[in-house]
């Protein structure tokens, strides 16, 4: 059952109406009831109230009207249709319940009443909380994910049943299978379905069926009962055994309004054990009718195929010719092909002759002429000899001009005309007489040989040789 948030405490937004002279204003009964309802709904948060249902009436609209009572008092209650449809059990007089209510007032009659938002059987609050916690845990792990669900095989050969051998659910399942699919083999995996040992035995039976792999679909079934009776199917071990089973599992536990953790873990939930058998087994009568329809369709199609084949045979027979006629036709075709071949060969030979003649003409034009080539070679040799002679003369004239230039620039030629060059002791040529000092020794280079001289004075112009 969903947990509703508590309403905040009432904080009046306006003061009660007063008359202009300081006394209370006179108000109508409807206004009084409306103010009383607003005060009640604001002052009381959503709360849980326990009691026994009595004076139950379900209107045609689907709304349920009843009283909750205990040994000392009672209070009127209303549960609207959209809330009543979410209950997992039927409302009955004398049923002990815990109701999630909003304290209110029915204005038209001024009746104090409780608007019921949710309800559970008395004493089941802890079990239901455990159910919700386990469901949230396994759902967060992805154990109930839609992509994990596997489709049931259309024509299973063997069905496995996990239930008690004494359970009425087993008789219902076997009766349904005998009526719908007597050819399907049934394997029973016996287990307790109620009590402290039941969860362990149910999980062990499912694991046994998984290890044996004797069946293609496994049914986990039990008849209806209270939440305590069905609690073995809200066990985590049972849910994990169902999820780990290699074959598809159909859960048919309780009645249509009962939900267990096993229903969410199974590949398919059935509202009852009988419905589980119907979902897992093919209907023999429906299959027989389907086969008869298929047989009729097959027969009609075969008749049509035979008729079409007969028509094709008649058409082929009309096209069939005598062998002699076919041979004559083939001879005519062969003669025509021979003539075409002769014409084609003649045209190819003619084109080949034309190509050969053109090649001969090109060969004659490309044949070498030794006499003309020899005359041309002699002319080229003469031109080459003349060019070499002219080039040699040109290079000789250039060489002579360069040699004459070098002769004019040669220092030895100057010395041969009576000149001398003076060098200081560092071997540098002397250019300025003013840079010389008395007693400084110089070297004079003449056209033939060298002499050491000494500077005697500024007015002297010669020095003795060593």
């Amino acid at each position: 059952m969903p947990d509703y948030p508590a309403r905040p405490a009432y904080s009046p937004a306006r003061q009660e109406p007063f008359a202009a002279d300081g006394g209370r204003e006179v108000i109508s009964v409807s206004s009084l009831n409306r103010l009383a309802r607003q005060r009640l709904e604001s002052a009381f948060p959503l709360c849980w109230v326990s009691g026994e249902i009595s004076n139950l009436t379900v209107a045609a609209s689907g709304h349920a009207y009843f009283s909750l009572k205990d040994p000392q008092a009672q209070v009127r209650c209303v549960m609207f249709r959209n809330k009543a449809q979410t209950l997992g059990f039927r409302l009955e007089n004398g049923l002990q319940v815990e109701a999630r209510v909003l304290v209110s007032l029915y204005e038209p009659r001024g009746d104090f009443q409780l608007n019921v938002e949710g309800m559970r059987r008395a004493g089941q609050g802890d079990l239901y909380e455990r159910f919700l916690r386990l469901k949230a845990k396994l759902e967060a792990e992805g154990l109930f994910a839609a992509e994990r669900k596997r489709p049931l095989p259309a024509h299973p050969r063997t069905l496995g049943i996990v239930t008690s051998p004494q359970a009425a659910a087993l008789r219902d399942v076997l009766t349904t299978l005998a009526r719908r699919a007597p050819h399907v083999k049934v394997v029973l995996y016996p287990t307790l379905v109620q009590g402290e040992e039941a969860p362990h035995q149910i999980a062990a039976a499912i694991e046994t069926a998984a290890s044996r792999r004797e069946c293609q679909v496994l049914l986990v079934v039990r008849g209806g009962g209270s939440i305590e009776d069905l609690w073995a199917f809200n066990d985590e071990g049972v849910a994990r055994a169902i999820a780990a089973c290699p074959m598809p599992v159909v859960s048919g536990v309780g009645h249509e309004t009962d939900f267990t953790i096993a229903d969410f873990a199974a590949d398919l939930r059935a509202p009852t054990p009988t419905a589980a058998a119907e979902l897992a087994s093919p209907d023999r009568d429906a299959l027989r009718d389907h086969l008869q329809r298929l047989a009729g369709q097959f027969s009609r199609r075969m008749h049509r195929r035979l008729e079409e084949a007969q028509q094709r045979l008649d058409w082929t027979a009309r096209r069939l010719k005598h062998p002699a006629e076919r041979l004559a036709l083939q001879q005519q075709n062969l003669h025509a092909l021979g003539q075409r071949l002769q014409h084609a060969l003649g045209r190819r030979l003619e084109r080949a002759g034309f190509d050969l003649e053109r090649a001969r003409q090109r060969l004659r034009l490309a044949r070498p002429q030794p006499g003309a080539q020899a005359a041309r070679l002699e002319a080229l040799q003469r031109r080459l000899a003349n060019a070499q002679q002219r080039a040699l003369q040109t290079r000789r004239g250039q060489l002579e001009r360069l040699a004459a230039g070098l002769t004019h620039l040669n220092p030895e030629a100057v010395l041969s005309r009576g000149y001398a060059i003076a060098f200081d002791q560092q071997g540098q040529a002397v250019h300025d007489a003013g840079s010389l000092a008395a007693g400084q020794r110089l070297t004079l280079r003449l056209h033939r040989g060298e002499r050491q001289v000494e500077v005697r004075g500024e007015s002297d112009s010669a020095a003795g040789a060593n």
Side-chain angles (χ1 to χ4, degrees), residues 201-237:
Q201 291 194 13
I202 294 171
I206 296 173
E207 292 171 356
T208 300
S211 62
R212 292 181 181 178
R213 297 180 180 270
E214 299 170 312
C215 54
Q216 287 77 49
V217 182
L218 187 64
L219 308 182
V220 180
V221 297
R222 189 206 186 281
S226 64
I227 189 172
E228 293 88 352
D229 297 337
L230 304 180
W231 193 250
F233 295 91
N234 290 322
D235 183 77
E236 182 176 354

Side-chain angles (χ1 to χ4, degrees), residues 351-374:
R351 285 197 298 271
F354 292 153
D355 294 341
L356 180 60
E357 183 61 28
R358 285 197 296 271
R360 287 174 179 173
Q361 292 177 0
R362 292 175 62 188
L363 181 60
R364 284 195 298 270
L365 294 176
R367 181 178 298 170
Q369 299 177 359
Q373 296 297 330

Side-chain angles (χ1 to χ4, degrees), residues 14 48 67 93 135 155 165 181 192 209 223 227 241 258 285 307 329 418:
R14 60 177 184 175
W48 287 95
S67 297
N93 287 320
K135 179 175 179 293
H155 303 285
L192 293 176
I227 189 172
D258 297 322
D285 295 336
E307 291 173 354
L329 181 60

Side-chain angles (χ1 to χ4, degrees), residues 33 37 104-113:
N33 286 353
R37 178 182 62 79
S104 184
L105 184 88
Y106 182 56
E107 294 182 26
R109 290 200 303 270
D111 290 341
F112 175 76
Q113 71 176 19

